[in-house]
């Protein structure tokens, strides 16, 4: 009797598991690894390029453009301010209209275009009357590109992991450890290597290195396009706010006593139970 049970169990277990089952797990983990690497690379390259500009920008303005220290400081602060304000605009359009992938892609292309312009503007073949306008135009193109990229790519990376799946939840935690390591490595390498090249070899080569890095990272990012999970944009929050104001104005004379059922507070009936979404209030 015991032998029959053991034989039956052996037959059942032998028909499951093994490589034919493990291969699906391996493929899934490989896909997660690829997604992690592609997004990690594009973020590290972007940080590398950003600090490749910011770390030595003051030196370029004072040494190459002969700007006074106060003027150079003002220009650096203005550029940083535009980059910071652009983050709000980029995040708004990503969540409301374009989606995180489209915003990341568009802003990365814009950032790359600014880096190309920046590299060209430092070339000795550029006429002096075009040099300065082209340099500052390129600088602010990179600022706008930075604004669309920075608030989206990290949340887009988080979208790739399912919190309800144990292995993906674990992978997500590990991924963000590597994520911040990539940011530190990118920024540190830019400060140590790119600034040295700019000061001692060539400004064109110094700006060209981050340009190449971002271009390669953008290619890696695009290769994984068909495998990304993309959250749908939810629309503008200002639209919902405006609808509430309009509804409140239109129904300002509505009396609860004139309606037997009373006003609606967003109540739902689920499984016979009434759940209030909004708390009753005497205002509006």
């Amino acid at each position: 009797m015991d032998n029959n049970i053991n034989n039956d169990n052996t037959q059942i277990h032998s028909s499951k598991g093994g490589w034919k089952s493990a291969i699906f797990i391996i493929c899934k983990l490989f896909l997660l690894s690829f997604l992690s690497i592609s997004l990690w690379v594009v973020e590290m390259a972007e940080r590398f390029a950003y600090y490749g500009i910011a770390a030595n920008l003051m030196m370029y303005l004072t040494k190459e453009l002969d700007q006074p220290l106060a003027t150079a400081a003002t220009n650096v602060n203005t550029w940083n301010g535009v980059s910071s304000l652009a983050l709000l605009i980029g995040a708004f359009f990503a969540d409301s209209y374009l989606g995180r992938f489209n915003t990341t892609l568009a802003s990365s292309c814009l950032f790359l275009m600014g880096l190309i312009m920046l590299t060209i503007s430092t070339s000795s073949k550029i006429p002096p009357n075009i040099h300065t306008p082209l340099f500052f135009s390129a600088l602010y193109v990179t600022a706008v590109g930075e604004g669309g990229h920075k608030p989206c790519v990290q949340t887009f990376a988080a979208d790739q992991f399912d919190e309800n799946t144990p292995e993906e939840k674990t992978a997500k935690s590990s991924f963000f450890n590597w994520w911040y390591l990539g940011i530190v490595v990118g920024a540190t390498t830019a400060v140590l290597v790119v600034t040295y090249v700019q000061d001692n070899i060539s400004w064109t080569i110094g700006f060209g290195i981050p340009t190449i890095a971002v271009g390669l990272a953008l290619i890696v990012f695009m290769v994984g396009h068909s495998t990304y999970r993309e959250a749908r944009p939810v629309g503008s929050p200002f639209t919902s706010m405006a609808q509430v104001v309009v509804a409140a104005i239109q129904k300002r004379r509505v009396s609860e006593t004139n309606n037997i059922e009373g006003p609606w507070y967003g109540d739902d009936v689920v499984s016979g139970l009434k759940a209030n979404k909004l708390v009753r209030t005497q205002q509006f």
Side-chain angles (χ1 to χ4, degrees):
M1 187 69 175
D2 292 337
N3 291 335
N4 292 335
I5 293 175
N6 290 336
N7 290 336
D8 291 341
N9 288 338
T10 301
Q11 291 177 356
I12 293 173
H13 289 299
S14 64
S15 64
K16 298 181 179 180
W19 275 105
K20 60 185 176 183
S21 299
I23 192 67
F24 294 102
I25 300 174
I26 293 173
C27 289
K28 185 175 183 180
L29 293 176
F30 175 79
L31 178 60
L32 286 173
S33 299
F34 176 78
L35 293 173
S36 302
I37 292 171
S38 62
L39 294 171
W40 181 73
V41 166
V42 75
E43 174 65 11
M44 185 171 67
E46 190 274 340
R47 290 290 88 193
F48 175 75
Y50 176 80
Y51 284 101
I53 300 172
N56 218 21
L57 183 57
M58 181 71 76
M59 292 295 294
Y60 186 85
L61 294 177
T62 54
K63 289 178 61 177
E64 300 298 320
L65 298 185
D66 296 324
Q67 290 188 346
L69 187 61
T71 303
T74 300
N75 286 327
V76 171
N77 290 333
T78 303
W79 178 68
N80 285 324
V82 171
S83 298
S84 299
L85 291 176
L87 300 179
L88 301 176
I89 300 174
F92 172 77
F93 277 99
D95 292 338
S96 301
Y97 300 110
L98 300 178
R100 296 188 181 104
F101 173 79
N102 292 329
T103 304
T104 301
L105 178 61
S107 60
S108 296
C109 291
L110 194 63
F111 191 72
L112 178 60
M113 184 176 69
L115 288 171
I116 294 173
M117 293 169 58
L118 203 64
T119 304
I120 294 174
S121 70
T122 58
S123 174
S124 58
K125 297 180 180 180
I126 298 297
N129 59 328
I130 300 178
H131 177 202
T132 301
L134 180 60
F135 177 82
F136 279 102
S137 298
L139 206 59
Y140 284 102
V141 169
T142 60
V144 175
E146 164 79 3
H149 176 279
K150 192 173 182 180
C152 297
V153 68
Q154 187 170 358
T155 51
F156 183 61
D159 291 340
Q160 310 310 311
F161 299 91
D162 185 4
E163 286 284 342
N164 298 320
T165 306
E167 62 267 22
E168 291 193 25
K169 186 176 182 180
T170 303
K172 182 178 181 180
S173 177
S174 177
F175 167 74
F176 280 106
N177 290 333
W178 286 100
W179 180 273
Y180 285 105
L181 176 63
I183 292 176
V184 172
V185 170
T188 304
T189 305
V191 172
L192 295 178
V193 177
V194 176
T195 55
Y196 176 83
V197 173
Q198 291 170 346
D199 288 337
N200 297 279
I201 300 176
S202 169
W203 284 98
T204 303
I205 297 175
F207 286 125
I209 293 173
T211 303
I212 294 172
V214 171
L216 293 175
L218 187 57
I219 293 173
V220 174
F221 179 68
M222 284 300 300
V223 168
H225 177 209
S226 61
T227 61
Y228 292 138
R229 294 171 179 168
E230 299 182 36
R232 294 181 180 180
V234 296
S236 173
F238 297 108
T239 302
S240 301
M241 293 170 61
Q243 289 174 341
V244 171
V245 174
V246 171
I249 294 174
Q250 290 179 341
K251 298 184 179 183
R252 64 189 183 280
R253 299 184 185 278
V254 173
S255 174
E256 181 179 352
T257 58
N258 294 333
N259 189 344
I260 298 176
E261 297 180 356
W264 186 65
Y265 291 96
D267 302 337
D268 283 342
V269 177
V270 181
S271 301
L273 299 176
K274 191 174 183 181
N276 291 331
K277 292 183 178 179
L278 300 177
V279 179
R280 189 181 180 94
T281 176
Q282 298 298 326
Q283 300 176 356
F284 300 111

